[in-house]
Amino acid sequence: MLAFQVVRGKLKRVTRSIPKLRRGWALIRVRLAGICNTDIEILRGYHAFQGIPGHEFIGEVAEINGASAALRKKWLGRRVTGEINVSCSAYGYQPRCEFCRRGLRSHCARRTVLGIVNHDGAFAEYLALPLENLHAVPGSVSDEQAVFVEPLAAACEILQQVEARGLRETAVLGDGKLAQLIARVLRTAVPRVVMYGKHASKLALARKAKIETKTVTGTATDLNRIRQTYELLVEATGSPTGLTLAQYMTKPRGTLVLKSTFHGAAPVETWPIVVNEITVIGSRCGPFDKALVLLRSGQVDATPLITRTFPLSEAPQAIEFAQRRDVMKVLLRPGE
């Protein structure tokens, strides 16, 4: 199969064997894959990953190993997306780790992570995942919508971690792909959501989704210029400088949710967290079922975020394009 592997900070075209399946695993033919900021950070050294990246995908089940006739009938040919953390149970590890025993499979001590940690991902014609990770995509949800399920689920995780429905307003710092999804999810629970960003075209997309917007410069001048504070603020700039401003924009005894992942350290003073008694929450993967409900119901429409779709064969050009200033979601389509 055609695939693209990380080699010395670049995507290199390779020919790979189709993945061999463990018992209870599925072979998935990729229909669309999304380029995420994490994929860009992987090229910069995040997690020292040297395999096939890509963790946002929609595909169809092409084969299953070691499943009953009922499971084969249920899954073969189905359009699916999949949770990216592969835990103890999928590998048959015994005894299971303490996190799996506690029901925290996404924190499994021995997990692999699709396209990120020791598990080849979706920048290929095929990938492999255990059946327990798969979610069927309803026929009413298009491929272009379904490719957003993984990052949309990550946005939904915030509402699992924080009780937001009693709030009158909240804010998102950042205007990129994940920030846009987070703002749309928060808008389903909070009457007023404000997005702070520095790209006029991206802020315009948010306004079309009934999200208020304000402009920041992304420099130290923002600390003196921005006076609004929020009981709940989500930092999703994808930048090491975002955390400093986020602290100052969180009210005393408020909650700051961190969503950014990037390679490197964030230069930040921690005293505002202590003095203002801010609760800081790290937030990562989330509930796929809730993301699918939002897409199926039309409460969230992510397709306006798509800037361009490239054939898989042009993956290096696509990931370069994805890093341009005003570009949003870039997709890869195998078979073109």
Side-chain angles (χ1 to χ4, degrees):
M1 67 175 185
L2 172 65
F4 283 85
Q5 181 176 341
V6 178
V7 178
R8 293 187 292 275
K10 300 289 184 182
L11 282 183
K12 180 182 178 182
R13 181 181 179 130
V14 295
T15 300
R16 288 283 194 89
S17 299
I18 290 175
K20 294 182 179 179
L21 298 180
R22 294 172 177 267
R23 187 174 183 84
W25 285 49
L27 178 69
I28 299 159
R29 183 176 69 82
V30 179
R31 294 168 66 102
L32 278 178
I35 294 177
C36 169
N37 190 61
T38 299
D39 301 315
I40 294 168
E41 292 298 325
I42 282 172
L43 295 179
R44 297 169 181 163
Y46 183 63
H47 274 302
F49 183 66
Q50 296 295 310
I52 298 169
H55 56 278
E56 302 175 3
F57 76 92
I58 166 71
E60 61 185 50
V61 177
E63 187 52 87
I64 301 171
N65 182 35
S68 66
L71 281 175
R72 292 181 68 84
K73 182 179 180 180
K74 174 183 177 180
W75 288 110
L76 279 176
R78 290 294 300 270
R79 287 190 312 141
V80 295
T81 186
E83 299 187 35
I84 67 176
N85 296 282
V86 183
S87 63
C88 282
S89 58
Y91 289 109
Y93 295 141
Q94 294 293 338
R96 292 184 301 157
C97 74
E98 73 167 288
F99 299 103
C100 286
R101 291 197 301 270
R102 291 164 54 192
L104 300 174
R105 287 176 48 209
S106 65
H107 291 279
C108 171
R110 292 175 288 198
R111 73 185 183 276
T112 62
V113 186
L114 183 73
I116 300 173
V117 180
N118 298 324
H119 193 132
D120 285 336
F123 291 2
E125 293 179 302
Y126 292 89
L127 61 83
L129 276 176
L131 288 174
E132 66 185 43
N133 283 52
L134 301 187
H135 292 261
V137 176
S140 60
V141 177
S142 69
D143 285 358
E144 286 74 15
Q145 291 172 307
V147 77
F148 284 94
V149 169
E150 192 279 334
L152 185 60
C156 290
E157 179 68 2
I158 295 169
L159 295 182
Q160 302 292 108
Q161 296 172 296
V162 179
E163 180 50 64
R165 295 193 181 274
L167 299 177
R168 290 177 296 177
E169 63 178 10
T170 184
V172 178
L173 185 57
D175 56 15
K177 299 177 287 293
L178 182 56
Q180 295 275 347
L181 295 175
I182 290 167
R184 284 159 174 77
V185 169
L186 291 176
R187 187 69 179 76
T188 67
V190 182
R192 180 175 183 248
V193 178
V194 184
M195 173 179 286
Y196 289 79
K198 57 182 182 179
H199 305 95
S201 62
K202 297 178 180 180
L203 293 175
L205 279 172
R207 288 193 294 274
K208 290 180 180 178
K210 299 181 180 179
I211 298 158
E212 294 184 36
T213 64
K214 294 184 182 292
T215 303
V216 294
T217 65
T219 67
T221 62
D222 291 328
L223 295 174
N224 297 320
R225 191 174 60 85
I226 296 175
R227 298 301 180 197
Q228 298 92 341
T229 58
Y230 299 87
E231 190 174 340
L232 171 63
L233 187 131
V234 181
E235 194 287 312
T237 63
S239 164
T241 61
L243 179 55
T244 298
L245 178 59
Q247 292 178 78
Y248 284 91
M249 291 177 64
T250 306
K251 287 184 177 181
R253 295 242 170 149
T255 299
L256 170 57
V257 178
L258 303 183
K259 273 293 188 183
S260 289
T261 55
F262 48 81
H263 179 62
V268 63
E269 293 181 315
T270 57
W271 68 261
I273 297 172
V274 176
V275 171
N276 291 322
E277 298 181 311
I278 294 171
T279 298
V280 179
I281 297 177
S283 185
R284 187 166 52 98
C285 300
F288 274 48
D289 55 344
K290 295 185 183 302
L292 284 163
V293 166
L294 290 179
L295 292 173
R296 187 174 64 242
S297 66
Q299 288 180 273
V300 172
D301 180 12
T303 54
L305 303 181
I306 300 171
T307 301
R308 183 174 171 185
T309 301
F310 285 77
L312 175 62
S313 59
E314 296 179 13
Q317 297 94 311
I319 208 158
E320 288 294 330
F321 180 79
Q323 296 175 66
R324 294 185 185 181
R325 179 178 175 84
D326 290 320
V327 170
M328 294 298 287
K329 179 62 72 177
V330 176
L331 305 178
L332 296 172
R333 189 187 302 276
E336 291 188 350

